Amino acid sequence: MSTELRSRKKLKRDVQIWLEDVERIDGEIQSLDGRIGKSSAITRGFRAEDVLKMLKEVEEHIQKGKFHEGLVVDNPQWIGQVLSVTALSGEAAQAYIEEIWLYLMDDEVQKIGVCGMGGVGKTSIMKLINNQILKETWNFNSVIWITVSKEMSTAKLQKDIASKIGVTFSGDEDETTKAGMLFETLSRKSRFLMILDDLWDRIFLDKVGIPEPSAGSKIVLTTRSFDVCRQVGCCRVVKINPLAEEEAWNLFLEKVGRVVLNIPNLEPIAKSIAKHCAGLPLALITVASCMKGIDDLYKWRNALKELSLYVKSVNGLEDGVFQQLRFSYDRSKDLKLQHCFLSCALYPEDFRIKEEDLIQLWIALWRKWMVGRQSLTGVVR
């Protein structure tokens, strides 16, 4: 067999392996969430037409006997980042997804607000839509996900956006200059989608450097406040409501395991616990995970009592998730795990915690505890 023939066969094998990887990645993405519409994309975050064009070019080059020294396939155009998300269940969640999707496909709608109380599922819904859009890429050339959070500042927001769109700040620019740099780059992008997640207060787009969406570009924001949607100028607002009682119970059962229905006298107690979660998916999942695998009726009754006390001690529906979080924390009997959780709680919301920094913090706290213990022992003696 000639060297040229062996080289061509090897190139074809390389292309086949690459194609198999593409199909595998696409399969992984399709397993993340349900399909909202017919997709023409091949793999996550890439433009389908770019991949198809490249495949055609590769085949032509192989036929012409090129790639004598091997085959290297460059990445096609990157559109956005796929996000990890828990699958949502229930007709209500699907209805919200479809409504938001219709607004995204409507060229007359430039700004969309998604509002609802904490823990109701706003971010999860938008993550599913983000992932689906990366497959339905003919509508947007880029998808930019920005987590804003309560501790938002213009400087931090500018930095986060810059990292997503390839803008580099030298460090000497003031906020106005940074806004101009972001504005210039975003204005050159056609049909971009920017998702601002967890917005607590009004922001002025021009001050940050975000151009008013036009020519197919759109902005979606998630927030707890309808007023924020109005102030930013959203022409469509989708309000996410807590789950209805039946859907909430079904979600609780799904997470805790239907085996609880086989335990005598347990179902009424379990339903009461689910009701205390106020239809909030995050709360339902948290509490159900704590109770999973427990078949002692006494422990279930005690859990219901604890939740009832937390509800009385915490004011306002907006703090509903905090009740279930405290319940989950208190039921963890692992003191080390509780300390680790509290250490993480010292950081600001959405802060990127480095493992090395966290370990150093734990070491410092442990040393402080040991010094205090030794001092106390000396006093006792």
Side-chain angles (χ1 to χ4, degrees):
M1 183 182 297
S2 67
T3 302
E4 181 179 354
L5 183 58
R6 284 197 300 269
S7 178
R8 290 185 62 181
K9 285 190 174 183
K10 182 179 183 302
L11 289 173
K12 287 186 177 181
R13 285 199 304 271
D14 291 340
V15 173
Q16 184 61 37
I17 291 172
W18 184 79
L19 284 171
E20 290 173 358
D21 286 341
V22 168
E23 293 173 358
R24 174 181 57 77
I25 293 171
D26 186 46
E28 291 175 0
I29 292 305
Q30 292 187 22
S31 67
L32 281 174
D33 49 60
R35 300 180 66 83
I36 298 175
K38 185 177 179 182
S39 172
S40 68
I42 289 182
T43 185
R44 59 177 143 186
F46 299 131
R47 291 182 60 81
E49 55 265 36
D50 291 334
V51 177
L52 294 173
K53 180 181 178 182
M54 187 175 65
L55 290 176
K56 184 178 179 180
E57 291 176 355
V58 168
E59 183 62 30
E60 290 176 353
H61 287 317
I62 290 177
Q63 294 298 328
K64 294 177 180 178
K66 296 185 177 181
F67 303 124
H68 294 298
E69 298 181 358
L71 174 65
V72 176
V73 181
D74 293 330
N75 282 337
Q77 183 181 347
W78 177 255
I79 303 301
Q81 178 62 54
V82 171
L83 304 173
S84 61
V85 60
T86 302
L88 300 178
S89 58
E91 295 180 359
Q94 186 61 30
Y96 292 133
I97 291 174
E98 291 176 358
E99 183 179 2
I100 297 170
W101 188 265
L102 286 175
Y103 293 148
L104 287 171
M105 299 301 112
D106 187 347
D107 286 339
E108 300 299 318
V109 178
Q110 281 78 43
K111 297 179 187 175
I112 305 165
V114 180
C115 71
M117 60 189 300
V120 81
K122 305 181 296 295
T123 297
S124 295
I125 286 173
M126 286 312 304
K127 281 183 175 180
L128 285 170
I129 291 176
N130 174 90
N131 293 349
Q132 186 64 27
I133 283 180
L134 295 182
K135 293 189 290 184
E136 311 283 343
T137 51
W138 61 84
N139 277 89
F140 298 100
N141 294 329
S142 60
V143 180
I144 307 162
W145 179 285
I146 303 293
T147 300
V148 183
S149 77
K150 192 173 184 178
E151 306 298 327
M152 187 272 294
S153 67
T154 299
K156 181 180 181 300
L157 192 53
Q158 289 176 328
K159 179 182 177 181
D160 292 343
I161 295 174
S163 68
K164 296 294 180 67
I165 63 175
V167 172
T168 302
F169 297 141
S170 66
D172 298 328
E173 304 91 347
D174 57 20
E175 287 186 359
T176 302
T177 303
K178 290 178 181 178
M181 295 170 67
L182 296 177
F183 185 91
E184 183 179 10
T185 301
L186 287 170
S187 297
R188 290 199 301 264
K189 290 182 176 290
S190 60
R191 303 189 72 88
F192 70 82
L193 170 63
M194 180 173 291
I195 302 172
L196 300 173
D197 183 48
D198 198 19
L199 190 62
W200 284 70
D201 298 301
R202 177 184 182 181
I203 62 170
F204 294 92
L205 299 181
D206 57 342
K207 183 178 179 181
V208 176
I210 305 173
E212 287 291 331
S214 61
S217 294
K218 296 181 188 292
I219 294 174
V220 180
L221 59 91
T222 72
T223 177
R224 300 185 182 193
S225 169
F226 177 83
D227 287 339
V228 170
C229 296
R230 178 179 54 81
Q231 291 165 354
V232 175
C234 297
C235 57
R236 295 291 186 273
V237 177
V238 179
K239 184 178 180 181
I240 310 298
N241 295 310
L243 297 176
E245 186 173 326
E246 183 178 355
E247 282 198 331
W249 171 239
N250 289 335
L251 177 59
F252 186 86
L253 270 183
E254 177 186 332
K255 299 302 178 182
V256 79
R258 303 188 70 87
V259 68
V260 299
L261 299 177
N262 300 327
I263 302 174
N265 304 319
L266 180 55
E267 184 174 345
I269 300 174
K271 283 188 174 181
S272 296
I273 288 178
K275 285 182 181 179
H276 277 298
C277 296
L280 301 176
L282 180 58
L284 287 159
I285 293 171
T286 301
V287 174
S289 299
C290 288
M291 302 306 298
K292 187 177 180 67
I294 297 177
D295 56 7
D296 188 328
L297 194 62
Y298 172 78
K299 291 183 178 179
W300 277 85
R301 285 174 177 161
N302 187 51
L304 177 57
K305 183 179 179 180
E306 288 179 22
L307 275 174
S308 300
L309 291 174
Y310 293 148
V311 170
K312 292 178 182 178
S313 65
V314 180
N315 297 321
L317 282 176
E318 202 63 31
D319 295 316
V321 176
F322 175 77
Q323 303 162 11
Q324 327 321 331
L325 184 61
R326 180 177 171 184
F327 172 81
S328 176
Y329 174 84
D330 287 346
R331 293 189 70 80
S332 172
K333 304 305 180 184
D334 188 336
L335 190 60
K336 291 182 180 179
L337 185 61
Q338 289 181 333
H339 286 168
C340 291
F341 175 83
L342 293 176
S343 298
C344 294
L346 294 173
Y347 291 89
E349 184 180 7
D350 295 313
F351 188 86
R352 294 181 180 179
I353 304 175
K354 295 181 179 180
E355 292 181 3
E356 296 82 0
D357 293 343
L358 196 57
I359 292 171
Q360 290 299 320
L361 174 61
W362 290 339
I363 293 174
L365 289 173
W366 179 80
R367 287 176 175 171
K368 183 177 181 180
W369 178 80
M370 287 297 295
V371 170
R373 184 180 180 185
Q374 290 172 357
S375 301
L376 182 61
T377 302
V379 171
V380 172
R381 287 179 180 176

